[in-house]
Short mmCIF file of all heavy atoms in Angstrom, two decimals:
data_model
loop_
_atom_site.label_atom_id
_atom_site.label_comp_id
_atom_site.label_asym_id
_atom_site.label_seq_id
_atom_site.Cartn_x
_atom_site.Cartn_y
_atom_site.Cartn_z
N GLN A 1 -22.57 19.92 5.17
CA GLN A 1 -23.81 20.32 5.84
C GLN A 1 -24.99 19.43 5.34
O GLN A 1 -25.82 18.96 6.19
CB GLN A 1 -24.12 21.75 5.54
CG GLN A 1 -23.27 22.68 6.36
CD GLN A 1 -23.70 22.77 7.78
OE1 GLN A 1 -24.38 21.94 8.29
NE2 GLN A 1 -23.17 23.77 8.57
N ARG A 5 -27.10 16.93 7.70
CA ARG A 5 -28.57 17.20 7.92
C ARG A 5 -29.31 15.95 7.65
O ARG A 5 -30.31 15.65 8.32
CB ARG A 5 -29.00 18.35 7.00
CG ARG A 5 -30.44 18.67 7.27
CD ARG A 5 -30.75 19.88 6.37
NE ARG A 5 -32.30 20.06 6.47
CZ ARG A 5 -32.94 20.66 5.54
NH1 ARG A 5 -32.42 21.15 4.47
NH2 ARG A 5 -34.29 20.78 5.69
N MET A 16 -25.81 15.06 17.65
CA MET A 16 -24.90 14.24 16.68
C MET A 16 -23.46 14.84 16.96
O MET A 16 -23.16 15.90 17.29
CB MET A 16 -25.28 14.68 15.22
CG MET A 16 -26.70 14.34 14.77
SD MET A 16 -26.88 12.51 14.42
CE MET A 16 -25.69 12.35 13.12
N ASP A 19 -17.93 15.66 12.85
CA ASP A 19 -16.92 14.92 12.18
C ASP A 19 -15.49 15.38 12.48
O ASP A 19 -15.26 16.55 12.80
CB ASP A 19 -17.14 15.05 10.65
CG ASP A 19 -18.39 14.51 10.17
OD1 ASP A 19 -18.94 13.59 10.76
OD2 ASP A 19 -18.86 14.93 9.08
N ASP A 28 -11.96 14.57 26.16
CA ASP A 28 -10.95 14.14 25.13
C ASP A 28 -10.50 15.31 24.24
O ASP A 28 -9.55 15.13 23.50
CB ASP A 28 -11.37 12.97 24.44
CG ASP A 28 -11.73 11.80 25.26
OD1 ASP A 28 -11.08 11.68 26.36
OD2 ASP A 28 -12.57 10.98 24.89
N VAL A 43 4.99 17.56 10.69
CA VAL A 43 4.94 17.56 9.27
C VAL A 43 5.55 18.75 8.63
O VAL A 43 6.39 18.73 7.68
CB VAL A 43 3.52 17.42 8.72
CG1 VAL A 43 3.39 17.59 7.28
CG2 VAL A 43 3.01 15.88 9.05
N LEU A 46 9.42 18.69 9.11
CA LEU A 46 10.01 17.69 8.10
C LEU A 46 9.99 18.33 6.64
O LEU A 46 10.98 18.25 5.93
CB LEU A 46 9.24 16.38 8.04
CG LEU A 46 9.40 15.51 9.30
CD1 LEU A 46 8.49 14.28 9.27
CD2 LEU A 46 10.82 15.04 9.41
N ARG A 50 13.44 19.17 4.71
CA ARG A 50 13.69 18.70 3.34
C ARG A 50 14.07 19.77 2.40
O ARG A 50 15.02 19.69 1.58
CB ARG A 50 12.49 17.87 2.83
CG ARG A 50 12.70 17.30 1.55
CD ARG A 50 11.43 16.62 0.92
NE ARG A 50 11.41 16.57 -0.48
CZ ARG A 50 10.84 17.55 -1.35
NH1 ARG A 50 10.17 18.51 -0.67
NH2 ARG A 50 10.86 17.55 -2.60
N GLY A 53 17.44 21.06 3.33
CA GLY A 53 18.59 20.07 3.06
C GLY A 53 18.86 20.08 1.61
O GLY A 53 19.99 19.75 1.28
N ILE A 63 15.55 27.56 -10.62
CA ILE A 63 14.39 26.71 -10.58
C ILE A 63 14.90 25.40 -10.17
O ILE A 63 15.73 24.75 -10.77
CB ILE A 63 13.85 26.62 -11.97
CG1 ILE A 63 13.37 27.98 -12.68
CG2 ILE A 63 12.71 25.62 -12.04
CD1 ILE A 63 12.97 28.01 -14.02
N SER A 67 12.36 16.33 -10.42
CA SER A 67 11.51 15.27 -11.14
C SER A 67 11.60 15.55 -12.70
O SER A 67 12.05 16.54 -13.11
CB SER A 67 10.10 15.28 -10.73
OG SER A 67 9.47 16.43 -11.03
N GLY A 68 11.06 14.56 -13.41
CA GLY A 68 11.09 14.78 -14.88
C GLY A 68 10.12 15.85 -15.32
O GLY A 68 10.55 16.57 -16.26
N ALA A 70 9.41 18.62 -13.51
CA ALA A 70 10.11 19.84 -13.20
C ALA A 70 11.26 20.19 -14.16
O ALA A 70 11.41 21.30 -14.45
CB ALA A 70 10.62 19.71 -11.70
N ALA A 74 11.34 23.46 -16.37
CA ALA A 74 12.44 24.36 -16.31
C ALA A 74 13.04 24.67 -17.74
O ALA A 74 13.33 25.77 -18.01
CB ALA A 74 13.58 23.77 -15.44
N GLY A 79 13.05 28.14 -23.06
CA GLY A 79 13.38 27.48 -24.38
C GLY A 79 14.62 26.67 -24.25
O GLY A 79 15.21 26.41 -25.25
N GLY A 80 15.16 26.35 -23.02
CA GLY A 80 16.42 25.59 -22.96
C GLY A 80 17.63 26.37 -23.02
O GLY A 80 18.70 25.74 -23.33
N THR A 83 21.21 27.13 -17.87
CA THR A 83 22.14 26.24 -17.44
C THR A 83 21.76 25.51 -16.19
O THR A 83 21.15 26.07 -15.30
CB THR A 83 23.52 26.95 -17.09
OG1 THR A 83 23.87 27.87 -18.21
CG2 THR A 83 24.67 26.05 -16.81
N PHE A 84 22.08 24.20 -16.17
CA PHE A 84 21.87 23.33 -14.90
C PHE A 84 22.98 23.31 -13.99
O PHE A 84 24.20 23.26 -14.49
CB PHE A 84 21.47 22.00 -15.34
CG PHE A 84 20.10 21.72 -15.84
CD1 PHE A 84 19.81 21.74 -17.25
CD2 PHE A 84 19.01 21.67 -14.96
CE1 PHE A 84 18.57 21.61 -17.66
CE2 PHE A 84 17.76 21.52 -15.53
CZ PHE A 84 17.43 21.55 -16.84
N TYR A 85 22.81 23.37 -12.80
CA TYR A 85 23.90 23.35 -11.73
C TYR A 85 23.59 22.28 -10.78
O TYR A 85 22.41 21.97 -10.40
CB TYR A 85 24.00 24.67 -11.03
CG TYR A 85 24.45 25.87 -11.90
CD1 TYR A 85 23.45 26.77 -12.41
CD2 TYR A 85 25.71 26.05 -12.17
CE1 TYR A 85 23.85 27.75 -13.24
CE2 TYR A 85 26.11 27.09 -13.06
CZ TYR A 85 25.23 27.90 -13.62
OH TYR A 85 25.62 28.96 -14.37
N SER A 86 24.59 21.59 -10.31
CA SER A 86 24.42 20.61 -9.27
C SER A 86 25.24 20.97 -8.00
O SER A 86 26.43 21.61 -8.22
CB SER A 86 24.96 19.31 -9.64
OG SER A 86 24.98 18.32 -8.65
N LEU A 94 18.78 19.38 -8.72
CA LEU A 94 19.44 20.20 -9.69
C LEU A 94 18.82 21.56 -9.71
O LEU A 94 17.58 21.74 -9.38
CB LEU A 94 19.36 19.58 -11.14
CG LEU A 94 19.99 18.34 -11.39
CD1 LEU A 94 19.77 17.80 -12.84
CD2 LEU A 94 21.59 18.48 -11.24
#
Side-chain angles (χ1 to χ4, degrees):
Q1 284 286 15
R5 179 179 176 206
M16 297 284 296
D19 293 337
D28 300 332
V43 167
L46 288 173
R50 180 183 153 266
I63 300 172
S67 66
T83 307
F84 282 98
Y85 295 98
S86 174
L94 292 174

